[in-house]
Amino acid sequence: MKRTFSSLCLFGCLAFSLVTEAQTISGQDTTALRIPTSAMPFLGFTPDARSAALGDAGVALGADANAIYWNPAKLVYAEKDRGVALSYTPWLRNLVDDMYFTYLSGYQKVGKNQVIGLSLLYFDLGTIYFTNGIGVSTGSFNSREYAATASYSRRLSRNFSMGVNMRYASSNLAGSNFLNGALIKPANTVAADISAYYENEARDEITGQGVKWAFGGMLSNLGGKVNYGTDERYFLPTNLRLGTAMTYYTDKYNKFNFVVDLNKLMVPTPPQYQTVNGKPVLGPNSNPVILKGRDPRTLTSLSGAFGSFSDAPDGFAEELKEINISAGAEYWYNDQFAARLGYQHEARIKGDRKYFTAGIGIKLQQKYGIDFAYLMPVRQGSPLANTLRLSLTLNLDKKPRAVNSEEE
Protein backbone atom coordinates (compact mmCIF):
# COMPACT_ATOMS: atom_id res chain seq x y z
CA MET A 1 0.00 0.00 0.00
CA LYS A 2 1.42 3.40 -0.96
CA ARG A 3 1.86 6.14 1.61
CA THR A 4 2.42 9.64 0.26
CA PHE A 5 4.11 12.43 2.22
CA SER A 6 3.87 16.03 1.06
CA SER A 7 6.62 18.49 1.92
CA LEU A 8 4.68 20.28 4.64
CA CYS A 9 6.57 19.63 7.88
CA LEU A 10 8.40 17.02 9.88
CA PHE A 11 5.43 16.48 12.13
CA GLY A 12 3.60 14.63 9.40
CA CYS A 13 6.40 12.10 9.26
CA LEU A 14 6.57 11.79 13.03
CA ALA A 15 2.81 11.40 13.33
CA PHE A 16 2.94 8.40 11.01
CA SER A 17 5.26 6.66 13.46
CA LEU A 18 3.41 7.80 16.56
CA VAL A 19 0.00 6.61 15.33
CA THR A 20 1.17 3.02 15.65
CA GLU A 21 1.30 3.41 19.42
CA ALA A 22 -1.39 6.03 20.27
CA GLN A 23 -4.68 5.53 18.52
CA THR A 24 -6.85 8.46 17.54
CA ILE A 25 -10.30 8.21 19.04
CA SER A 26 -12.80 8.70 16.24
CA GLY A 27 -14.44 12.09 16.15
CA GLN A 28 -12.40 13.59 18.98
CA ASP A 29 -9.48 15.99 19.23
CA THR A 30 -6.42 14.06 20.50
CA THR A 31 -4.91 17.30 21.88
CA ALA A 32 -7.97 17.80 24.08
CA LEU A 33 -7.64 14.18 25.16
CA ARG A 34 -4.05 14.86 26.27
CA ILE A 35 -2.48 11.61 25.09
CA PRO A 36 1.24 11.46 26.03
CA THR A 37 3.35 10.66 22.96
CA SER A 38 7.04 10.34 22.20
CA ALA A 39 9.51 9.78 19.42
CA MET A 40 10.61 6.21 18.63
CA PRO A 41 7.44 4.55 19.99
CA PHE A 42 8.64 1.22 18.53
CA LEU A 43 10.85 0.91 21.63
CA GLY A 44 7.68 0.12 23.56
CA PHE A 45 6.25 -2.53 21.22
CA THR A 46 5.76 -5.95 22.79
CA PRO A 47 8.23 -8.09 20.83
CA ASP A 48 7.39 -11.68 21.78
CA ALA A 49 4.30 -13.84 21.38
CA ARG A 50 4.21 -15.23 24.92
CA SER A 51 3.82 -11.88 26.70
CA ALA A 52 1.65 -10.57 23.86
CA ALA A 53 -0.80 -13.40 24.53
CA LEU A 54 -0.87 -12.42 28.22
CA GLY A 55 -2.14 -8.90 27.59
CA ASP A 56 1.38 -7.47 27.14
CA ALA A 57 2.43 -8.46 30.66
CA GLY A 58 5.87 -9.88 31.34
CA VAL A 59 8.04 -7.95 33.81
CA ALA A 60 7.77 -10.74 36.42
CA LEU A 61 7.06 -13.69 34.10
CA GLY A 62 9.47 -16.66 34.01
CA ALA A 63 12.68 -15.93 32.12
CA ASP A 64 13.74 -16.72 28.57
CA ALA A 65 15.79 -14.75 26.04
CA ASN A 66 12.98 -12.18 25.67
CA ALA A 67 13.69 -11.07 29.25
CA ILE A 68 16.24 -8.61 27.85
CA TYR A 69 13.25 -6.52 26.79
CA TRP A 70 10.99 -7.18 29.78
CA ASN A 71 13.40 -7.44 32.70
CA PRO A 72 17.01 -8.62 32.27
CA ALA A 73 17.30 -9.20 36.03
CA LYS A 74 15.19 -12.36 35.54
CA LEU A 75 17.84 -14.05 33.43
CA VAL A 76 19.92 -15.25 36.39
CA TYR A 77 16.95 -17.49 37.27
CA ALA A 78 16.58 -18.94 33.77
CA GLU A 79 16.49 -22.75 33.78
CA LYS A 80 18.96 -23.05 30.91
CA ASP A 81 22.48 -21.65 30.63
CA ARG A 82 21.96 -20.00 27.26
CA GLY A 83 19.04 -19.12 25.05
CA VAL A 84 18.03 -17.44 21.79
CA ALA A 85 14.65 -16.06 20.69
CA LEU A 86 13.34 -14.74 17.38
CA SER A 87 9.96 -13.01 16.94
CA TYR A 88 8.08 -11.60 13.97
CA THR A 89 5.03 -9.31 13.91
CA PRO A 90 3.21 -7.89 10.86
CA TRP A 91 2.14 -4.42 12.03
CA LEU A 92 -1.16 -2.62 11.38
CA ARG A 93 -2.26 -5.30 8.94
CA ASN A 94 -5.70 -3.69 8.49
CA LEU A 95 -4.10 -0.47 7.21
CA VAL A 96 -0.94 -1.43 5.30
CA ASP A 97 0.70 -4.57 3.99
CA ASP A 98 4.41 -3.77 4.23
CA MET A 99 5.03 -2.89 7.88
CA TYR A 100 6.53 -5.34 10.35
CA PHE A 101 8.92 -5.58 13.25
CA THR A 102 11.19 -8.39 14.33
CA TYR A 103 13.13 -9.08 17.51
CA LEU A 104 16.24 -11.21 17.98
CA SER A 105 17.71 -11.77 21.43
CA GLY A 106 20.09 -14.09 23.22
CA TYR A 107 21.71 -14.56 26.60
CA GLN A 108 24.60 -16.49 28.14
CA LYS A 109 25.16 -17.25 31.82
CA VAL A 110 28.64 -16.28 33.02
CA GLY A 111 29.20 -18.31 36.14
CA LYS A 112 26.43 -18.99 38.63
CA ASN A 113 25.26 -15.45 39.36
CA GLN A 114 25.85 -13.37 36.22
CA VAL A 115 24.29 -13.18 32.77
CA ILE A 116 25.11 -11.19 29.65
CA GLY A 117 22.82 -10.71 26.67
CA LEU A 118 22.32 -8.99 23.33
CA SER A 119 19.21 -8.06 21.38
CA LEU A 120 18.17 -6.32 18.18
CA LEU A 121 14.72 -4.83 17.52
CA TYR A 122 14.05 -3.83 13.92
CA PHE A 123 10.93 -1.97 12.75
CA ASP A 124 10.26 -1.62 9.02
CA LEU A 125 7.65 1.06 8.31
CA GLY A 126 7.50 0.26 4.60
CA THR A 127 8.01 2.53 1.62
CA ILE A 128 6.77 6.10 1.71
CA TYR A 129 6.37 8.32 -1.34
CA PHE A 130 7.13 12.02 -1.21
CA THR A 131 5.31 14.72 -3.17
CA ASN A 132 5.60 18.48 -3.28
CA GLY A 133 2.80 20.96 -2.64
CA ILE A 134 1.19 20.37 -6.02
CA GLY A 135 1.34 16.58 -5.85
CA VAL A 136 4.38 15.96 -8.04
CA SER A 137 6.43 12.99 -6.93
CA THR A 138 9.80 13.86 -5.39
CA GLY A 139 11.00 10.34 -4.58
CA SER A 140 10.47 7.49 -2.15
CA PHE A 141 12.16 6.03 0.89
CA ASN A 142 11.96 2.85 2.98
CA SER A 143 11.39 4.09 6.54
CA ARG A 144 13.02 1.98 9.26
CA GLU A 145 14.01 2.06 12.90
CA TYR A 146 16.13 -0.24 15.02
CA ALA A 147 17.57 -0.61 18.52
CA ALA A 148 20.60 -2.69 19.55
CA THR A 149 20.88 -3.57 23.26
CA ALA A 150 23.62 -5.02 25.46
CA SER A 151 22.50 -6.48 28.78
CA TYR A 152 24.07 -7.47 32.09
CA SER A 153 22.36 -8.92 35.16
CA ARG A 154 23.59 -10.21 38.50
CA ARG A 155 22.12 -12.14 41.42
CA LEU A 156 22.55 -10.10 44.62
CA SER A 157 21.02 -12.63 46.99
CA ARG A 158 19.32 -16.02 46.82
CA ASN A 159 16.01 -14.50 45.75
CA PHE A 160 16.87 -11.05 44.40
CA SER A 161 18.68 -9.78 41.31
CA MET A 162 19.17 -6.63 39.26
CA GLY A 163 19.97 -5.92 35.63
CA VAL A 164 20.96 -3.09 33.31
CA ASN A 165 20.68 -2.53 29.57
CA MET A 166 22.55 -0.11 27.34
CA ARG A 167 20.85 0.67 24.04
CA TYR A 168 21.65 2.42 20.78
CA ALA A 169 18.54 3.42 18.83
CA SER A 170 18.16 4.86 15.35
CA SER A 171 15.05 6.25 13.65
CA ASN A 172 15.29 6.90 9.92
CA LEU A 173 11.79 7.97 8.91
CA ALA A 174 12.47 10.07 5.85
CA GLY A 175 16.15 9.67 4.93
CA SER A 176 17.86 12.98 4.16
CA ASN A 177 15.01 14.82 2.45
CA PHE A 178 13.84 18.40 2.52
CA LEU A 179 10.45 18.92 4.12
CA ASN A 180 9.05 22.46 4.23
CA GLY A 181 12.51 23.79 3.36
CA ALA A 182 14.25 21.97 6.22
CA LEU A 183 16.68 19.08 5.78
CA ILE A 184 15.36 16.12 7.74
CA LYS A 185 17.91 13.65 9.05
CA PRO A 186 17.81 10.35 10.93
CA ALA A 187 17.58 10.55 14.71
CA ASN A 188 20.08 8.57 16.81
CA THR A 189 20.47 8.25 20.55
CA VAL A 190 21.60 6.07 23.43
CA ALA A 191 19.43 5.01 26.35
CA ALA A 192 19.62 2.87 29.46
CA ASP A 193 17.36 0.49 31.39
CA ILE A 194 17.53 -0.65 34.99
CA SER A 195 15.51 -3.53 36.43
CA ALA A 196 14.99 -5.61 39.56
CA TYR A 197 13.46 -9.02 40.23
CA TYR A 198 12.49 -11.11 43.25
CA GLU A 199 11.16 -14.67 43.33
CA ASN A 200 10.48 -17.35 45.90
CA GLU A 201 8.53 -20.58 46.07
CA ALA A 202 7.12 -23.21 48.40
CA ARG A 203 6.66 -26.59 46.70
CA ASP A 204 6.42 -30.21 47.77
CA GLU A 205 9.07 -32.25 45.98
CA ILE A 206 7.05 -35.46 46.16
CA THR A 207 3.62 -34.35 44.95
CA GLY A 208 4.83 -31.33 42.93
CA GLN A 209 2.16 -29.14 44.49
CA GLY A 210 3.05 -25.63 45.56
CA VAL A 211 3.20 -21.94 44.78
CA LYS A 212 5.85 -19.62 43.35
CA TRP A 213 5.56 -15.85 43.46
CA ALA A 214 7.62 -13.11 41.85
CA PHE A 215 7.83 -9.32 41.65
CA GLY A 216 9.58 -7.28 38.98
CA GLY A 217 10.24 -3.68 38.03
CA MET A 218 11.78 -2.06 34.95
CA LEU A 219 12.68 1.56 34.16
CA SER A 220 13.43 1.64 30.44
CA ASN A 221 14.56 4.03 27.70
CA LEU A 222 16.05 6.61 30.02
CA GLY A 223 18.00 8.98 27.77
CA GLY A 224 18.18 12.40 26.16
CA LYS A 225 15.81 14.02 23.71
CA VAL A 226 16.16 13.33 20.00
CA ASN A 227 15.79 15.51 16.93
CA TYR A 228 15.44 14.92 13.21
CA GLY A 229 17.74 17.70 12.04
CA THR A 230 15.45 20.56 13.10
CA ASP A 231 15.27 22.68 16.24
CA GLU A 232 12.44 20.55 17.62
CA ARG A 233 13.48 17.90 20.16
CA TYR A 234 11.33 14.94 21.16
CA PHE A 235 11.19 12.80 24.29
CA LEU A 236 12.08 9.12 24.25
CA PRO A 237 9.39 6.65 25.45
CA THR A 238 10.83 6.39 28.97
CA ASN A 239 8.70 3.82 30.72
CA LEU A 240 8.12 2.42 34.21
CA ARG A 241 6.68 -1.06 34.50
CA LEU A 242 5.89 -2.84 37.78
CA GLY A 243 4.38 -6.28 37.97
CA THR A 244 3.86 -9.52 39.79
CA ALA A 245 3.44 -13.17 38.84
CA MET A 246 2.16 -16.21 40.71
CA THR A 247 2.56 -19.83 39.67
CA TYR A 248 0.24 -22.46 41.12
CA TYR A 249 1.45 -26.04 40.73
CA THR A 250 -1.44 -28.50 40.99
CA ASP A 251 0.93 -31.47 40.60
CA LYS A 252 4.09 -32.40 38.73
CA TYR A 253 2.44 -32.01 35.34
CA ASN A 254 0.02 -29.10 35.57
CA LYS A 255 0.59 -25.47 36.53
CA PHE A 256 -1.07 -22.08 36.13
CA ASN A 257 0.67 -18.70 35.81
CA PHE A 258 -1.13 -15.46 36.65
CA VAL A 259 0.53 -12.13 35.78
CA VAL A 260 -0.36 -8.45 36.27
CA ASP A 261 1.67 -5.43 35.06
CA LEU A 262 1.15 -1.72 35.71
CA ASN A 263 2.69 0.45 33.02
CA LYS A 264 3.38 4.21 33.06
CA LEU A 265 4.75 6.09 30.03
CA MET A 266 7.06 8.69 31.59
CA VAL A 267 6.70 11.54 29.10
CA PRO A 268 5.06 14.92 29.75
CA THR A 269 1.29 15.14 29.59
CA PRO A 270 0.19 17.73 27.00
CA PRO A 271 -0.98 20.86 28.84
CA GLN A 272 -4.41 22.43 28.66
CA TYR A 273 -4.28 25.43 26.32
CA GLN A 274 -6.47 28.50 26.31
CA THR A 275 -8.73 28.43 23.27
CA VAL A 276 -11.30 30.64 21.58
CA ASN A 277 -13.76 29.00 19.20
CA GLY A 278 -11.64 25.87 19.27
CA LYS A 279 -8.42 27.67 18.30
CA PRO A 280 -5.47 28.20 20.69
CA VAL A 281 -4.81 31.70 21.97
CA LEU A 282 -1.27 32.83 21.18
CA GLY A 283 0.84 34.67 23.72
CA PRO A 284 4.35 36.13 23.58
CA ASN A 285 6.58 34.74 20.82
CA SER A 286 3.46 33.30 19.19
CA ASN A 287 3.35 30.42 21.69
CA PRO A 288 -0.02 29.02 22.81
CA VAL A 289 -1.18 30.20 26.21
CA ILE A 290 -1.15 27.38 28.79
CA LEU A 291 -3.94 27.31 31.38
CA LYS A 292 -2.89 24.14 33.24
CA GLY A 293 0.15 21.89 33.05
CA ARG A 294 3.68 22.51 31.88
CA ASP A 295 5.16 23.44 28.53
CA PRO A 296 7.03 20.29 27.37
CA ARG A 297 9.38 22.41 25.25
CA THR A 298 10.96 23.87 28.39
CA LEU A 299 11.62 20.49 30.04
CA THR A 300 14.80 18.42 29.94
CA SER A 301 14.63 14.69 29.40
CA LEU A 302 15.00 13.98 33.14
CA SER A 303 12.60 16.67 34.36
CA GLY A 304 10.09 15.58 31.73
CA ALA A 305 10.34 11.90 32.70
CA PHE A 306 10.25 12.19 36.48
CA GLY A 307 7.90 15.16 36.40
CA SER A 308 5.40 13.08 34.43
CA PHE A 309 3.99 11.76 37.71
CA SER A 310 2.61 15.19 38.66
CA ASP A 311 2.14 17.22 35.47
CA ALA A 312 -1.39 16.23 34.38
CA PRO A 313 -3.61 19.33 34.16
CA ASP A 314 -6.47 17.63 36.03
CA GLY A 315 -4.24 16.43 38.85
CA PHE A 316 -3.93 13.03 40.50
CA ALA A 317 -7.14 11.64 38.99
CA GLU A 318 -5.74 12.18 35.51
CA GLU A 319 -2.35 10.76 36.51
CA LEU A 320 -4.05 7.50 37.49
CA LYS A 321 -5.61 7.30 34.02
CA GLU A 322 -2.10 7.27 32.51
CA ILE A 323 -1.35 3.90 34.13
CA ASN A 324 -2.10 1.00 31.80
CA ILE A 325 -3.07 -2.39 33.22
CA SER A 326 -2.02 -5.67 31.62
CA ALA A 327 -3.15 -9.03 32.98
CA GLY A 328 -3.00 -12.62 31.80
CA ALA A 329 -3.36 -16.27 32.71
CA GLU A 330 -1.36 -19.19 31.35
CA TYR A 331 -1.84 -22.96 31.68
CA TRP A 332 1.03 -25.42 31.14
CA TYR A 333 0.83 -29.18 30.81
CA ASN A 334 4.09 -31.02 31.52
CA ASP A 335 6.05 -27.94 30.39
CA GLN A 336 5.22 -28.92 26.82
CA PHE A 337 1.93 -27.24 25.92
CA ALA A 338 0.59 -23.83 27.01
CA ALA A 339 -2.70 -21.98 26.52
CA ARG A 340 -2.88 -18.25 27.26
CA LEU A 341 -5.44 -15.45 27.68
CA GLY A 342 -4.91 -11.78 28.51
CA TYR A 343 -6.35 -8.29 28.60
CA GLN A 344 -4.85 -4.82 28.25
CA HIS A 345 -6.61 -1.68 29.49
CA GLU A 346 -5.90 1.97 28.74
CA ALA A 347 -8.12 4.88 29.80
CA ARG A 348 -10.33 6.23 27.04
CA ILE A 349 -8.95 9.77 27.21
CA LYS A 350 -5.38 8.44 27.08
CA GLY A 351 -5.61 6.41 23.88
CA ASP A 352 -8.41 3.88 24.49
CA ARG A 353 -6.32 0.81 23.71
CA LYS A 354 -8.41 -1.99 25.16
CA TYR A 355 -8.02 -5.47 23.81
CA PHE A 356 -8.15 -9.16 24.65
CA THR A 357 -5.33 -11.47 23.70
CA ALA A 358 -4.97 -15.22 23.25
CA GLY A 359 -2.22 -17.61 22.31
CA ILE A 360 -0.64 -21.01 22.54
CA GLY A 361 2.86 -22.32 23.11
CA ILE A 362 4.63 -25.62 22.43
CA LYS A 363 7.97 -26.87 23.76
CA LEU A 364 9.85 -29.77 22.20
CA GLN A 365 12.49 -31.70 24.15
CA GLN A 366 12.71 -28.77 26.59
CA LYS A 367 14.90 -27.02 24.00
CA TYR A 368 12.75 -25.70 21.21
CA GLY A 369 9.74 -23.48 21.66
CA ILE A 370 7.06 -22.06 19.36
CA ASP A 371 4.63 -19.37 20.57
CA PHE A 372 1.72 -17.69 18.80
CA ALA A 373 -0.40 -14.71 19.91
CA TYR A 374 -3.48 -12.97 18.52
CA LEU A 375 -4.95 -9.60 19.51
CA MET A 376 -8.69 -8.82 19.59
CA PRO A 377 -9.55 -5.13 20.19
CA VAL A 378 -12.64 -4.20 22.18
CA ARG A 379 -13.37 -1.24 19.91
CA GLN A 380 -14.41 -1.89 16.33
CA GLY A 381 -12.26 -0.27 13.67
CA SER A 382 -9.10 -0.34 15.76
CA PRO A 383 -5.89 -0.28 13.65
CA LEU A 384 -4.52 -2.98 15.98
CA ALA A 385 -7.16 -5.52 14.90
CA ASN A 386 -5.81 -8.84 13.62
CA THR A 387 -2.36 -8.26 15.08
CA LEU A 388 -0.53 -11.55 15.42
CA ARG A 389 2.92 -12.51 16.64
CA LEU A 390 5.09 -15.58 16.16
CA SER A 391 8.11 -16.43 18.32
CA LEU A 392 10.72 -19.17 18.18
CA THR A 393 12.99 -19.99 21.14
CA LEU A 394 16.01 -22.21 21.67
CA ASN A 395 17.35 -22.96 25.16
CA LEU A 396 20.47 -25.00 25.92
CA ASP A 397 22.69 -26.00 28.82
CA LYS A 398 26.44 -25.52 28.69
CA LYS A 399 27.16 -29.21 29.29
CA PRO A 400 26.31 -31.93 26.77
CA ARG A 401 23.23 -34.01 27.53
CA ALA A 402 25.38 -37.12 28.13
CA VAL A 403 27.30 -35.38 30.90
CA ASN A 404 24.10 -34.18 32.55
CA SER A 405 22.64 -37.69 32.43
CA GLU A 406 25.65 -39.14 34.20
CA GLU A 407 25.42 -36.55 36.95
CA GLU A 408 21.73 -37.30 37.47
Side-chain angles (χ1 to χ4, degrees):
M1 177 178 179
K2 289 187 176 181
R3 290 182 290 279
T4 303
F5 279 62
S6 62
S7 301
L8 297 178
C9 62
L10 173 62
F11 179 76
C13 193
L14 287 174
F16 178 76
S17 178
L18 296 178
V19 74
T20 64
E21 185 67 6
Q23 299 179 30
T24 299
I25 300 176
S26 177
Q28 303 229 18
D29 178 9
T30 56
T31 301
L33 294 172
R34 295 197 290 268
I35 301 175
T37 57
S38 70
M40 300 186 180
F42 78 103
L43 294 175
F45 291 175
T46 295
D48 65 298
R50 185 187 183 193
S51 288
L54 295 172
D56 295 338
V59 73
L61 192 63
D64 58 19
N66 295 300
I68 295 175
Y69 172 86
W70 290 104
N71 184 349
K74 300 187 299 182
L75 287 173
V76 297
Y77 299 96
E79 295 180 356
K80 302 296 184 178
D81 294 318
R82 60 168 67 95
V84 179
L86 176 65
S87 299
Y88 173 77
T89 304
W91 197 238
L92 301 184
R93 297 171 62 222
N94 282 3
L95 300 180
V96 295
D97 57 10
D98 61 350
M99 289 178 65
Y100 71 91
F101 66 91
T102 186
Y103 183 67
L104 175 65
S105 59
Y107 73 91
Q108 170 72 61
K109 288 190 176 181
V110 183
K112 182 179 179 180
N113 298 316
Q114 301 180 81
V115 181
I116 57 175
L118 295 171
S119 72
L120 176 66
L121 176 62
Y122 177 81
F123 183 32
D124 192 316
L125 288 83
T127 302
I128 58 175
Y129 298 84
F130 297 95
T131 63
N132 58 23
I134 60 175
V136 177
S137 175
T138 59
S140 63
F141 182 76
N142 183 204
S143 297
R144 55 193 180 273
E145 300 176 301
Y146 71 88
T149 301
S151 175
Y152 172 78
S153 56
R154 184 180 181 90
R155 187 198 306 261
L156 300 179
S157 69
R158 181 176 179 273
N159 303 107
F160 180 73
S161 61
M162 296 192 70
V164 293
N165 289 336
M166 289 299 300
R167 176 173 301 108
Y168 174 79
S170 177
S171 175
N172 194 353
L173 298 179
S176 296
N177 286 283
F178 283 92
L179 296 180
N180 199 29
L183 178 61
I184 305 307
K185 299 180 179 179
N188 304 286
T189 190
V190 294
D193 309 336
I194 184 169
S195 67
Y197 179 73
Y198 172 88
E199 75 168 27
N200 208 339
E201 73 174 1
R203 191 177 183 190
D204 187 284
E205 294 183 359
I206 298 177
T207 65
Q209 295 179 342
V211 176
K212 181 171 75 172
W213 58 95
F215 302 92
M218 177 88 160
L219 177 61
S220 59
N221 302 316
L222 190 60
K225 293 183 178 181
V226 300
N227 72 81
Y228 289 80
T230 67
D231 293 333
E232 293 292 330
R233 302 182 67 84
Y234 305 91
F235 291 92
L236 288 177
T238 302
N239 190 81
L240 176 64
R241 186 183 294 270
L242 301 174
T244 184
M246 186 189 77
T247 301
Y248 174 56
Y249 300 92
T250 60
D251 52 39
K252 291 184 177 181
Y253 301 100
N254 299 277
K255 67 179 180 181
F256 296 85
N257 291 320
F258 303 95
V259 292
V260 177
D261 281 11
L262 302 179
N263 186 69
K264 162 69 174 175
L265 184 62
M266 295 170 57
V267 299
T269 302
Q272 179 181 344
Y273 295 101
Q274 181 179 354
T275 61
V276 175
N277 296 325
K279 297 182 179 180
V281 176
L282 301 181
N285 301 321
S286 299
N287 293 324
V289 176
I290 295 176
L291 294 178
K292 295 181 181 179
R294 297 188 296 174
D295 188 347
R297 294 171 299 182
T298 64
L299 302 176
T300 65
S301 58
L302 289 178
S303 63
F306 292 100
S308 65
F309 293 95
S310 60
D311 64 352
D314 289 340
F316 184 68
E318 184 176 353
E319 292 291 349
L320 289 178
K321 293 177 181 178
E322 294 183 356
I323 299 176
N324 292 357
I325 302 173
S326 300
E330 176 183 60
Y331 165 73
W332 277 98
Y333 174 73
N334 200 27
D335 285 330
Q336 293 182 342
F337 173 79
R340 305 176 179 114
L341 292 173
Y343 177 72
Q344 209 265 7
H345 174 85
E346 182 177 60
R348 187 172 186 274
I349 67 169
K350 295 298 177 178
D352 201 31
R353 287 174 302 172
K354 299 182 180 72
Y355 47 82
F356 293 96
T357 58
I360 59 173
I362 299 174
K363 279 186 180 180
L364 304 174
Q365 302 177 1
Q366 298 302 312
K367 291 182 178 180
Y368 312 102
I370 303 174
D371 297 291
F372 174 81
Y374 186 76
L375 186 151
M376 299 163 284
V378 173
R379 181 171 62 87
Q380 292 186 351
S382 169
L384 295 176
N386 297 321
T387 297
L388 56 87
R389 289 177 176 86
L390 178 67
S391 295
L392 306 175
T393 57
L394 172 64
N395 298 289
L396 299 171
D397 283 322
K398 291 180 182 178
K399 298 179 181 180
R401 178 176 293 274
V403 176
N404 288 335
S405 298
E406 291 176 3
E407 291 181 349
E408 294 174 355

